[in-house]
mmCIF file of all heavy atoms in Angstrom:
data_model
loop_
_atom_site.group_PDB
_atom_site.id
_atom_site.type_symbol
_atom_site.label_atom_id
_atom_site.label_comp_id
_atom_site.label_asym_id
_atom_site.label_seq_id
_atom_site.Cartn_x
_atom_site.Cartn_y
_atom_site.Cartn_z
ATOM 1 N N ALA A 1 -34.635 50.342 50.795
ATOM 2 C CA ALA A 1 -35.603 51.298 50.256
ATOM 3 C C ALA A 1 -34.896 52.451 49.537
ATOM 4 O O ALA A 1 -35.334 52.883 48.467
ATOM 5 C CB ALA A 1 -36.485 51.832 51.374
ATOM 6 N N ALA A 2 -33.800 52.933 50.100
ATOM 7 C CA ALA A 2 -33.049 54.015 49.453
ATOM 8 C C ALA A 2 -32.491 53.545 48.112
ATOM 9 O O ALA A 2 -32.579 54.270 47.107
ATOM 10 C CB ALA A 2 -31.921 54.505 50.362
ATOM 11 N N GLU A 3 -31.950 52.335 48.066
ATOM 12 C CA GLU A 3 -31.440 51.802 46.800
ATOM 13 C C GLU A 3 -32.549 51.646 45.770
ATOM 14 O O GLU A 3 -32.367 51.957 44.591
ATOM 15 C CB GLU A 3 -30.749 50.463 47.021
ATOM 16 C CG GLU A 3 -29.378 50.587 47.629
ATOM 17 C CD GLU A 3 -28.671 49.245 47.636
ATOM 18 O OE1 GLU A 3 -29.010 48.399 48.483
ATOM 19 O OE2 GLU A 3 -27.796 49.053 46.759
ATOM 20 N N TYR A 4 -33.681 51.151 46.215
ATOM 21 C CA TYR A 4 -34.837 50.991 45.333
ATOM 22 C C TYR A 4 -35.239 52.342 44.736
ATOM 23 O O TYR A 4 -35.451 52.457 43.521
ATOM 24 C CB TYR A 4 -35.986 50.385 46.139
ATOM 25 C CG TYR A 4 -37.304 50.319 45.417
ATOM 26 C CD1 TYR A 4 -37.519 49.389 44.403
ATOM 27 C CD2 TYR A 4 -38.346 51.170 45.759
ATOM 28 C CE1 TYR A 4 -38.740 49.313 43.759
ATOM 29 C CE2 TYR A 4 -39.568 51.094 45.124
ATOM 30 C CZ TYR A 4 -39.763 50.164 44.116
ATOM 31 O OH TYR A 4 -40.969 50.091 43.476
ATOM 32 N N LEU A 5 -35.339 53.354 45.582
ATOM 33 C CA LEU A 5 -35.716 54.682 45.103
ATOM 34 C C LEU A 5 -34.684 55.236 44.128
ATOM 35 O O LEU A 5 -35.032 55.830 43.103
ATOM 36 C CB LEU A 5 -35.905 55.631 46.287
ATOM 37 C CG LEU A 5 -37.150 55.360 47.131
ATOM 38 C CD1 LEU A 5 -37.064 56.101 48.461
ATOM 39 C CD2 LEU A 5 -38.412 55.732 46.380
ATOM 40 N N MET A 6 -33.409 55.035 44.419
ATOM 41 C CA MET A 6 -32.358 55.526 43.525
ATOM 42 C C MET A 6 -32.397 54.810 42.183
ATOM 43 O O MET A 6 -32.249 55.434 41.131
ATOM 44 C CB MET A 6 -30.990 55.385 44.185
ATOM 45 C CG MET A 6 -30.826 56.336 45.363
ATOM 46 S SD MET A 6 -29.245 56.203 46.220
ATOM 47 C CE MET A 6 -29.327 54.560 46.900
ATOM 48 N N ASP A 7 -32.608 53.480 42.214
ATOM 49 C CA ASP A 7 -32.717 52.733 40.955
ATOM 50 C C ASP A 7 -33.891 53.238 40.134
ATOM 51 O O ASP A 7 -33.798 53.407 38.911
ATOM 52 C CB ASP A 7 -32.871 51.235 41.227
ATOM 53 C CG ASP A 7 -31.575 50.577 41.678
ATOM 54 O OD1 ASP A 7 -30.502 51.183 41.518
ATOM 55 O OD2 ASP A 7 -31.648 49.439 42.183
ATOM 56 N N TYR A 8 -35.018 53.497 40.785
ATOM 57 C CA TYR A 8 -36.186 54.019 40.094
ATOM 58 C C TYR A 8 -35.882 55.399 39.496
ATOM 59 O O TYR A 8 -36.188 55.658 38.329
ATOM 60 C CB TYR A 8 -37.384 54.110 41.044
ATOM 61 C CG TYR A 8 -38.565 54.779 40.394
ATOM 62 C CD1 TYR A 8 -39.443 54.056 39.584
ATOM 63 C CD2 TYR A 8 -38.786 56.147 40.544
ATOM 64 C CE1 TYR A 8 -40.503 54.680 38.962
ATOM 65 C CE2 TYR A 8 -39.843 56.769 39.922
ATOM 66 C CZ TYR A 8 -40.705 56.034 39.132
ATOM 67 O OH TYR A 8 -41.749 56.656 38.500
ATOM 68 N N LEU A 9 -35.287 56.287 40.291
ATOM 69 C CA LEU A 9 -34.986 57.629 39.802
ATOM 70 C C LEU A 9 -34.058 57.595 38.595
ATOM 71 O O LEU A 9 -34.211 58.377 37.655
ATOM 72 C CB LEU A 9 -34.360 58.476 40.914
ATOM 73 C CG LEU A 9 -35.308 58.926 42.016
ATOM 74 C CD1 LEU A 9 -34.531 59.518 43.185
ATOM 75 C CD2 LEU A 9 -36.328 59.921 41.494
ATOM 76 N N LYS A 10 -33.113 56.689 38.609
ATOM 77 C CA LYS A 10 -32.125 56.606 37.528
ATOM 78 C C LYS A 10 -32.740 56.081 36.227
ATOM 79 O O LYS A 10 -32.340 56.494 35.144
ATOM 80 C CB LYS A 10 -30.971 55.697 37.981
ATOM 81 C CG LYS A 10 -29.817 55.636 37.039
ATOM 82 C CD LYS A 10 -29.020 56.919 37.049
ATOM 83 C CE LYS A 10 -27.797 56.749 36.191
ATOM 84 N NZ LYS A 10 -27.132 57.980 35.923
ATOM 85 N N SER A 11 -33.717 55.177 36.342
ATOM 86 C CA SER A 11 -34.177 54.515 35.129
ATOM 87 C C SER A 11 -35.604 54.833 34.701
ATOM 88 O O SER A 11 -35.907 54.797 33.516
ATOM 89 C CB SER A 11 -34.044 53.003 35.286
ATOM 90 O OG SER A 11 -34.837 52.573 36.374
ATOM 91 N N ARG A 12 -36.491 55.141 35.633
ATOM 92 C CA ARG A 12 -37.901 55.266 35.276
ATOM 93 C C ARG A 12 -38.544 56.605 35.582
ATOM 94 O O ARG A 12 -39.640 56.873 35.100
ATOM 95 C CB ARG A 12 -38.702 54.175 35.985
ATOM 96 C CG ARG A 12 -38.330 52.777 35.596
ATOM 97 C CD ARG A 12 -38.907 52.422 34.241
ATOM 98 N NE ARG A 12 -38.375 51.179 33.747
ATOM 99 C CZ ARG A 12 -38.847 49.993 34.019
ATOM 100 N NH1 ARG A 12 -39.897 49.873 34.799
ATOM 101 N NH2 ARG A 12 -38.283 48.916 33.512
ATOM 102 N N ALA A 13 -37.939 57.403 36.412
ATOM 103 C CA ALA A 13 -38.557 58.690 36.746
ATOM 104 C C ALA A 13 -38.669 59.541 35.484
ATOM 105 O O ALA A 13 -37.775 59.526 34.632
ATOM 106 C CB ALA A 13 -37.730 59.409 37.804
ATOM 107 N N PRO A 14 -39.760 60.263 35.335
ATOM 108 C CA PRO A 14 -39.986 61.029 34.102
ATOM 109 C C PRO A 14 -39.183 62.331 34.041
ATOM 110 O O PRO A 14 -39.712 63.426 34.194
ATOM 111 C CB PRO A 14 -41.495 61.278 34.119
ATOM 112 C CG PRO A 14 -41.879 61.237 35.558
ATOM 113 C CD PRO A 14 -40.922 60.287 36.222
ATOM 114 N N PHE A 15 -37.873 62.157 33.844
ATOM 115 C CA PHE A 15 -36.968 63.271 33.602
ATOM 116 C C PHE A 15 -36.259 62.995 32.280
ATOM 117 O O PHE A 15 -35.962 61.845 31.950
ATOM 118 C CB PHE A 15 -35.896 63.378 34.705
ATOM 119 C CG PHE A 15 -36.427 63.794 36.039
ATOM 120 C CD1 PHE A 15 -36.674 62.849 37.020
ATOM 121 C CD2 PHE A 15 -36.661 65.131 36.320
ATOM 122 C CE1 PHE A 15 -37.165 63.225 38.257
ATOM 123 C CE2 PHE A 15 -37.148 65.518 37.559
ATOM 124 C CZ PHE A 15 -37.402 64.559 38.528
ATOM 125 N N TRP A 16 -35.963 64.060 31.531
ATOM 126 C CA TRP A 16 -35.228 63.927 30.287
ATOM 127 C C TRP A 16 -33.979 64.775 30.410
ATOM 128 O O TRP A 16 -34.040 65.955 30.768
ATOM 129 C CB TRP A 16 -36.098 64.378 29.114
ATOM 130 C CG TRP A 16 -37.256 63.449 28.969
ATOM 131 C CD1 TRP A 16 -37.302 62.312 28.207
ATOM 132 C CD2 TRP A 16 -38.519 63.526 29.641
ATOM 133 N NE1 TRP A 16 -38.523 61.692 28.373
ATOM 134 C CE2 TRP A 16 -39.293 62.412 29.241
ATOM 135 C CE3 TRP A 16 -39.083 64.415 30.556
ATOM 136 C CZ2 TRP A 16 -40.572 62.182 29.707
ATOM 137 C CZ3 TRP A 16 -40.367 64.183 31.024
ATOM 138 C CH2 TRP A 16 -41.093 63.085 30.598
ATOM 139 N N LYS A 17 -32.829 64.144 30.110
ATOM 140 C CA LYS A 17 -31.536 64.802 30.325
ATOM 141 C C LYS A 17 -30.809 64.985 28.995
ATOM 142 O O LYS A 17 -30.733 64.060 28.187
ATOM 143 C CB LYS A 17 -30.677 63.949 31.262
ATOM 144 C CG LYS A 17 -31.314 63.752 32.619
ATOM 145 C CD LYS A 17 -30.557 62.746 33.454
ATOM 146 C CE LYS A 17 -31.285 62.492 34.758
ATOM 147 N NZ LYS A 17 -30.657 61.439 35.538
ATOM 148 N N LYS A 18 -30.269 66.173 28.832
ATOM 149 C CA LYS A 18 -29.487 66.485 27.632
ATOM 150 C C LYS A 18 -28.137 67.003 28.084
ATOM 151 O O LYS A 18 -28.063 67.913 28.923
ATOM 152 C CB LYS A 18 -30.217 67.539 26.805
ATOM 153 C CG LYS A 18 -29.640 67.760 25.419
ATOM 154 C CD LYS A 18 -30.465 68.805 24.678
ATOM 155 C CE LYS A 18 -30.775 68.317 23.296
ATOM 156 N NZ LYS A 18 -31.533 69.335 22.537
ATOM 157 N N GLU A 19 -27.067 66.406 27.538
ATOM 158 C CA GLU A 19 -25.707 66.818 27.876
ATOM 159 C C GLU A 19 -25.156 67.736 26.795
ATOM 160 O O GLU A 19 -25.331 67.483 25.603
ATOM 161 C CB GLU A 19 -24.803 65.596 28.019
ATOM 162 C CG GLU A 19 -25.148 64.740 29.217
ATOM 163 C CD GLU A 19 -24.217 63.555 29.380
ATOM 164 O OE1 GLU A 19 -23.537 63.166 28.398
ATOM 165 O OE2 GLU A 19 -24.167 63.014 30.489
ATOM 166 N N PHE A 20 -24.469 68.780 27.235
ATOM 167 C CA PHE A 20 -23.860 69.750 26.328
ATOM 168 C C PHE A 20 -22.350 69.726 26.503
ATOM 169 O O PHE A 20 -21.851 69.877 27.621
ATOM 170 C CB PHE A 20 -24.378 71.164 26.630
ATOM 171 C CG PHE A 20 -25.824 71.363 26.271
ATOM 172 C CD1 PHE A 20 -26.831 70.915 27.122
ATOM 173 C CD2 PHE A 20 -26.174 71.978 25.081
ATOM 174 C CE1 PHE A 20 -28.163 71.086 26.803
ATOM 175 C CE2 PHE A 20 -27.510 72.150 24.751
ATOM 176 C CZ PHE A 20 -28.503 71.709 25.608
ATOM 177 N N THR A 21 -21.648 69.528 25.390
ATOM 178 C CA THR A 21 -20.184 69.576 25.366
ATOM 179 C C THR A 21 -19.772 70.554 24.273
ATOM 180 O O THR A 21 -20.627 71.074 23.543
ATOM 181 C CB THR A 21 -19.567 68.198 25.060
ATOM 182 O OG1 THR A 21 -19.900 67.842 23.709
ATOM 183 C CG2 THR A 21 -20.076 67.129 26.030
ATOM 184 N N LYS A 22 -18.468 70.750 24.114
ATOM 185 C CA LYS A 22 -17.991 71.638 23.051
ATOM 186 C C LYS A 22 -18.331 71.083 21.670
ATOM 187 O O LYS A 22 -18.369 71.814 20.695
ATOM 188 C CB LYS A 22 -16.490 71.871 23.188
ATOM 189 C CG LYS A 22 -15.648 70.628 23.062
ATOM 190 C CD LYS A 22 -14.164 70.959 23.204
ATOM 191 C CE LYS A 22 -13.334 69.742 23.368
ATOM 192 N NZ LYS A 22 -13.071 68.941 22.247
ATOM 193 N N ASP A 23 -18.617 69.787 21.606
ATOM 194 C CA ASP A 23 -18.953 69.153 20.332
ATOM 195 C C ASP A 23 -20.441 69.192 20.010
ATOM 196 O O ASP A 23 -20.856 68.729 18.949
ATOM 197 C CB ASP A 23 -18.479 67.691 20.335
ATOM 198 C CG ASP A 23 -16.974 67.584 20.469
ATOM 199 O OD1 ASP A 23 -16.265 68.442 19.888
ATOM 200 O OD2 ASP A 23 -16.505 66.663 21.156
ATOM 201 N N GLY A 24 -21.252 69.693 20.926
ATOM 202 C CA GLY A 24 -22.684 69.774 20.664
ATOM 203 C C GLY A 24 -23.498 69.241 21.823
ATOM 204 O O GLY A 24 -22.999 69.091 22.938
ATOM 205 N N ALA A 25 -24.751 68.927 21.527
ATOM 206 C CA ALA A 25 -25.682 68.463 22.561
ATOM 207 C C ALA A 25 -26.218 67.083 22.180
ATOM 208 O O ALA A 25 -26.377 66.766 21.003
ATOM 209 C CB ALA A 25 -26.826 69.447 22.710
ATOM 210 N N GLU A 26 -26.494 66.289 23.222
ATOM 211 C CA GLU A 26 -26.997 64.940 22.996
ATOM 212 C C GLU A 26 -27.892 64.526 24.150
ATOM 213 O O GLU A 26 -27.546 64.731 25.320
ATOM 214 C CB GLU A 26 -25.806 63.975 22.891
ATOM 215 C CG GLU A 26 -26.159 62.602 22.429
ATOM 216 C CD GLU A 26 -24.900 61.783 22.165
ATOM 217 O OE1 GLU A 26 -24.061 62.211 21.346
ATOM 218 O OE2 GLU A 26 -24.770 60.725 22.804
ATOM 219 N N TRP A 27 -29.049 63.944 23.812
ATOM 220 C CA TRP A 27 -29.934 63.403 24.836
ATOM 221 C C TRP A 27 -29.290 62.191 25.473
ATOM 222 O O TRP A 27 -28.628 61.408 24.795
ATOM 223 C CB TRP A 27 -31.289 63.016 24.250
ATOM 224 C CG TRP A 27 -32.117 64.200 23.855
ATOM 225 C CD1 TRP A 27 -32.314 64.679 22.591
ATOM 226 C CD2 TRP A 27 -32.831 65.075 24.730
ATOM 227 N NE1 TRP A 27 -33.115 65.797 22.628
ATOM 228 C CE2 TRP A 27 -33.448 66.050 23.935
ATOM 229 C CE3 TRP A 27 -33.015 65.119 26.108
ATOM 230 C CZ2 TRP A 27 -34.230 67.067 24.468
ATOM 231 C CZ3 TRP A 27 -33.805 66.130 26.638
ATOM 232 C CH2 TRP A 27 -34.406 67.091 25.826
ATOM 233 N N VAL A 28 -29.467 62.032 26.759
ATOM 234 C CA VAL A 28 -28.901 60.894 27.482
ATOM 235 C C VAL A 28 -29.857 59.718 27.335
ATOM 236 O O VAL A 28 -31.022 59.803 27.711
ATOM 237 C CB VAL A 28 -28.699 61.239 28.982
ATOM 238 C CG1 VAL A 28 -28.192 60.029 29.751
ATOM 239 C CG2 VAL A 28 -27.749 62.426 29.127
ATOM 240 N N ASP A 29 -29.353 58.632 26.773
ATOM 241 C CA ASP A 29 -30.145 57.419 26.600
ATOM 242 C C ASP A 29 -30.186 56.609 27.887
ATOM 243 O O ASP A 29 -29.268 56.680 28.708
ATOM 244 C CB ASP A 29 -29.541 56.526 25.490
ATOM 245 C CG ASP A 29 -29.673 57.141 24.110
ATOM 246 O OD1 ASP A 29 -30.678 57.850 23.875
ATOM 247 O OD2 ASP A 29 -28.779 56.919 23.264
ATOM 248 N N ALA A 30 -31.244 55.826 28.023
ATOM 249 C CA ALA A 30 -31.330 54.890 29.143
ATOM 250 C C ALA A 30 -30.207 53.868 29.004
ATOM 251 O O ALA A 30 -29.839 53.477 27.899
ATOM 252 C CB ALA A 30 -32.682 54.197 29.141
ATOM 253 N N LYS A 31 -29.652 53.452 30.132
ATOM 254 C CA LYS A 31 -28.565 52.470 30.123
ATOM 255 C C LYS A 31 -29.101 51.106 30.543
ATOM 256 O O LYS A 31 -29.917 51.006 31.462
ATOM 257 C CB LYS A 31 -27.450 52.926 31.079
ATOM 258 C CG LYS A 31 -26.774 54.193 30.621
ATOM 259 C CD LYS A 31 -25.598 54.538 31.513
ATOM 260 C CE LYS A 31 -24.799 55.659 30.919
ATOM 261 N NZ LYS A 31 -25.177 56.957 31.340
ATOM 262 N N ASP A 32 -28.616 50.082 29.866
ATOM 263 C CA ASP A 32 -29.061 48.723 30.179
ATOM 264 C C ASP A 32 -28.819 48.361 31.635
ATOM 265 O O ASP A 32 -29.658 47.733 32.271
ATOM 266 C CB ASP A 32 -28.353 47.704 29.279
ATOM 267 C CG ASP A 32 -28.813 47.792 27.828
ATOM 268 O OD1 ASP A 32 -29.925 48.310 27.589
ATOM 269 O OD2 ASP A 32 -28.066 47.345 26.946
ATOM 270 N N GLU A 33 -27.674 48.784 32.195
ATOM 271 C CA GLU A 33 -27.369 48.432 33.589
ATOM 272 C C GLU A 33 -28.344 49.086 34.569
ATOM 273 O O GLU A 33 -28.633 48.531 35.626
ATOM 274 C CB GLU A 33 -25.927 48.751 33.967
ATOM 275 C CG GLU A 33 -25.521 50.194 33.829
ATOM 276 C CD GLU A 33 -24.853 50.553 32.509
ATOM 277 O OE1 GLU A 33 -25.017 49.836 31.510
ATOM 278 O OE2 GLU A 33 -24.165 51.585 32.471
ATOM 279 N N ASP A 34 -28.867 50.262 34.205
ATOM 280 C CA ASP A 34 -29.859 50.904 35.072
ATOM 281 C C ASP A 34 -31.185 50.138 35.040
ATOM 282 O O ASP A 34 -31.833 49.970 36.071
ATOM 283 C CB ASP A 34 -30.080 52.354 34.660
ATOM 284 C CG ASP A 34 -28.861 53.226 34.887
ATOM 285 O OD1 ASP A 34 -28.064 52.896 35.787
ATOM 286 O OD2 ASP A 34 -28.695 54.217 34.159
ATOM 287 N N GLU A 35 -31.564 49.677 33.871
ATOM 288 C CA GLU A 35 -32.782 48.876 33.747
ATOM 289 C C GLU A 35 -32.616 47.545 34.470
ATOM 290 O O GLU A 35 -33.516 47.081 35.163
ATOM 291 C CB GLU A 35 -33.132 48.635 32.279
ATOM 292 C CG GLU A 35 -33.673 49.845 31.578
ATOM 293 C CD GLU A 35 -34.999 50.334 32.152
ATOM 294 O OE1 GLU A 35 -35.873 49.491 32.463
ATOM 295 O OE2 GLU A 35 -35.151 51.552 32.313
ATOM 296 N N THR A 36 -31.444 46.940 34.325
ATOM 297 C CA THR A 36 -31.172 45.663 34.990
ATOM 298 C C THR A 36 -31.231 45.810 36.508
ATOM 299 O O THR A 36 -31.698 44.909 37.198
ATOM 300 C CB THR A 36 -29.793 45.127 34.550
ATOM 301 O OG1 THR A 36 -29.798 44.970 33.127
ATOM 302 C CG2 THR A 36 -29.475 43.796 35.198
#
């Protein structure tokens, strides 16, 4: 159940993440391995 919840949080939970580096900002795309 914990793994299931973590997989859901990583791939489907309605959060949007943006990473900031010295080179600028970029939205984090969904990863195929998370969907798999």
Side-chain angles (χ1 to χ4, degrees):
E3 284 188 284
Y4 173 74
L5 289 165
M6 291 179 295
D7 286 345
Y8 174 83
L9 287 169
K10 186 72 174 168
S11 60
R12 297 283 170 86
F15 291 99
W16 294 270
K17 299 172 185 175
K18 191 179 227 182
E19 292 182 341
F20 291 80
T21 67
K22 62 180 168 76
D23 297 323
E26 190 172 303
W27 289 102
V28 176
D29 292 327
K31 294 185 170 92
D32 290 338
E33 59 265 21
D34 294 333
E35 287 296 318
T36 301

